[in-house]
Amino acid sequence: MRRSLLVTAAAAISMVLLALLVPMAILVRSYALEDRLARAALEVQAVETVVSGQDEGIVGQYVDRLNADSTSQVTVLYPTGLAIGPDPGEDARVLDARNTGRARVDDVDDGSQILVPVSRGGNSALPSQTPVIRVIVDEPGLDSVVGVAWGLLVVLALALLAGSLVVVDRLGRSFVQPIRQLAEHTQTLGRPGAAAPLAAVNGPPEVQELAGAVDRLVGRIQLLLTRERENVADLSHRLRTPVTALRLRVEGVADPDLRERLGSDLDSLQATVDEIVREARRSEREGLDPQTDAVSVLAERVRHWAPLAEDQGRSWETDLATSGPLVRASRADLEALVDVLLDNVFSHTPDEAGVRITLTAAADRVDLVVDDAGPGLPAGLDVTGRGASGAGSTGLGLSIAARTAEDAGGEVTTGASDMGGARVAVTLRTA
């Protein structure tokens, strides 16, 4: 945002400076030309005095000395065809000045031309006997005072542009710093222990209002989370007493098979309640935005299952990366992810079916692929959907894995393995 402000301000200031300095540069050049014309007019008066009272030899010496010290070129054109000066030859404008007896100023290539007819005593009544003084005034170039003035204008423009950008940068910082402070605060909201309110923001009123709104929103979310945890904890407390009473009654059932089934159901109910409470309190333990070294957790959990494969005599191949980026998932979720995938393999494939586990890591992702040599996945069934299963189970396993991957910005894909069985690939994105 700060850079955008600087670029926008630089473009706007540059257009304003161009709109001001270009006309000023043209005026400077015009003033320099007018100054030269004024000095040339004085030279013409002096030459006119010499031409009207002296012979051609003295006029030539004076014109040569004058041309050597002046920025203009003076030429005296006599009606006899004699020309004294660096620019001999007559044109229609010279003849017009001689015949009419009036001075004139004309624009010529790279400058201006001054023509002044000179009256010489009694010959003043005869235009054909009138000499004409021609002065060529060159337009001022970069090697004159115009170049110096233009250079000063360029320096002034650069100084104004730099000063304006410094002021804009200071103003932009006063806008950007509060917004950056607010952004840094919001990025820490999902981490454990980051419930402190935002400190006072010194910035525009709109940014201060936004900071206040963020604090109020965070407070409201924290209140809702607290109430949710309290409700879940209260639910667990309320259920514990009747579950205990049921367990006592179940223990009094005479039929041992029925007593065992009812006890197992109560154990499942208790485990479900405990899991609900644990999940409700996860954000309190791990934060709303957990970050975990997925490679170390996944590799450690894969090695945890290796002894079971060895006990079954199952072929066990692993290719595990040694390091990788942080992903948006908790350690418990990643461990559960590996347990789900490998439990499916051990539960639904023969003991002699081999397993190959590949774990790779890149700068922005971690990929876990589990291949087996079992019977494969049911055709035409989305086994990652909740409740979908082709082997008589609840179908929650792969749906849990898919949810973990989606929470981490990744996905779970299934298909056929080159080992003859199923292939499950999990992609986890970086934090």
Side-chain angles (χ1 to χ4, degrees), residues 6 23 36 47 56 58 70 72 79 96 100-101 122 135 166 187 211 216 235 291 311-312 337 353 356 359 382 403 423:
L6 287 176
R36 287 191 175 188
V47 174
E56 287 81 356
I58 296 176
S70 176
S72 59
D96 179 73
T100 59
V135 181
V166 170
Q187 289 173 358
R216 290 191 296 271
L235 174 64
Q291 299 180 7
D311 292 342
Q312 293 180 350
L337 171 67
R356 182 177 66 224
L359 178 62
D382 180 14
R403 184 183 63 188
R423 175 186 178 92

Side-chain angles (χ1 to χ4, degrees), residues 120-189:
R120 303 184 66 187
N123 294 330
S124 60
L126 298 174
S128 60
Q129 302 298 320
T130 302
V132 176
I133 301 173
R134 177 167 58 198
V135 181
I136 303 295
V137 181
D138 295 331
E139 288 188 358
L142 295 178
D143 56 345
S144 64
V145 68
V146 173
V148 177
W150 285 5
L152 292 176
L153 289 177
V154 172
V155 173
L156 176 61
L158 294 177
L160 290 175
L161 179 60
S164 301
L165 291 181
V166 170
V167 174
V168 170
D169 182 65
R170 293 292 181 181
L171 292 175
R173 182 179 301 177
S174 66
F175 297 146
V176 173
Q177 287 296 105
I179 296 177
R180 182 173 298 168
Q181 181 183 357
L182 180 60
E184 292 174 353
H185 175 70
T186 55
Q187 289 173 358
T188 62
L189 291 178

Side-chain angles (χ1 to χ4, degrees), residues 148-426:
V148 177
W150 285 5
L152 292 176
L153 289 177
V154 172
V155 173
L156 176 61
L158 294 177
L160 290 175
L161 179 60
S164 301
L165 291 181
V166 170
V167 174
V168 170
D169 182 65
R170 293 292 181 181
L171 292 175
R173 182 179 301 177
S174 66
F175 297 146
V176 173
Q177 287 296 105
I179 296 177
R180 182 173 298 168
Q181 181 183 357
L182 180 60
E184 292 174 353
H185 175 70
T186 55
Q187 289 173 358
T188 62
L189 291 178
R191 302 172 187 170
L198 180 64
V201 176
N202 297 321
E206 294 80 3
V207 178
Q208 295 180 9
E209 293 178 5
L210 177 60
V214 169
D215 273 343
R216 290 191 296 271
L217 178 61
V218 171
R220 182 61 178 168
I221 293 175
Q222 290 175 348
L223 177 60
L224 294 176
L225 289 176
T226 302
R227 290 179 178 176
E228 179 184 359
R229 297 188 191 107
E230 292 175 352
N231 291 334
V232 172
D234 185 58
L235 174 64
S236 175
H237 178 72
R238 291 183 180 183
L239 288 177
R240 186 173 293 114
T241 299
V243 167
T244 303
L246 285 175
R247 190 177 299 278
L248 293 175
R249 293 181 181 180
V250 167
E251 291 178 357
V253 175
D255 188 347
D257 293 336
L258 178 59
R259 184 172 59 247
E260 182 179 356
R261 289 198 302 271
L262 292 176
S264 177
D265 292 340
L266 282 176
D267 291 339
S268 299
L269 176 61
Q270 185 65 52
T272 301
V273 173
D274 293 341
E275 178 66 17
I276 292 174
V277 174
R278 190 183 70 85
E279 287 294 325
R281 292 178 175 174
R282 173 182 294 185
S283 60
E284 186 177 8
R285 298 190 311 269
E286 303 170 353
L288 299 178
D289 187 20
Q291 299 180 7
T292 307
D293 183 358
V295 169
S296 63
V297 174
L298 296 177
E300 177 185 350
R301 202 61 186 173
V302 168
R303 287 190 288 268
H304 174 78
W305 284 80
L308 179 58
E310 183 178 357
D311 292 342
Q312 293 180 350
R314 187 188 296 266
S315 173
W316 183 263
E317 300 177 21
T318 59
D319 182 9
L320 307 178
T322 58
S323 62
L326 301 178
V327 299
R328 299 195 304 268
S330 67
R331 181 182 186 91
D333 285 341
L334 294 178
E335 291 177 348
L337 171 67
V338 176
D339 291 343
V340 162
L341 298 183
L342 296 183
D343 181 67
N344 282 344
V345 172
F346 283 95
S347 300
H348 303 298
T349 62
D351 291 351
E352 65 274 8
V355 183
R356 182 177 66 224
I357 304 171
T358 305
L359 178 62
T360 59
D364 61 342
R365 60 188 291 172
V366 173
D367 293 296
L368 175 67
V369 181
V370 178
D371 294 285
D372 64 65
L377 296 172
L381 179 64
D382 180 14
V383 293
T384 61
R386 185 176 181 86
S389 174
S393 66
T394 62
L396 295 178
L398 288 180
S399 68
I400 294 175
R403 184 183 63 188
T404 301
E406 291 173 359
D407 291 343
E411 61 181 352
V412 173
T413 58
T414 58
S417 170
D418 57 0
M419 298 178 65
R423 175 186 178 92
V424 180
V426 181

Side-chain angles (χ1 to χ4, degrees), residues 8-19:
T8 303
I13 295 170
S14 298
M15 288 188 291
V16 172
L17 290 176
L18 287 175

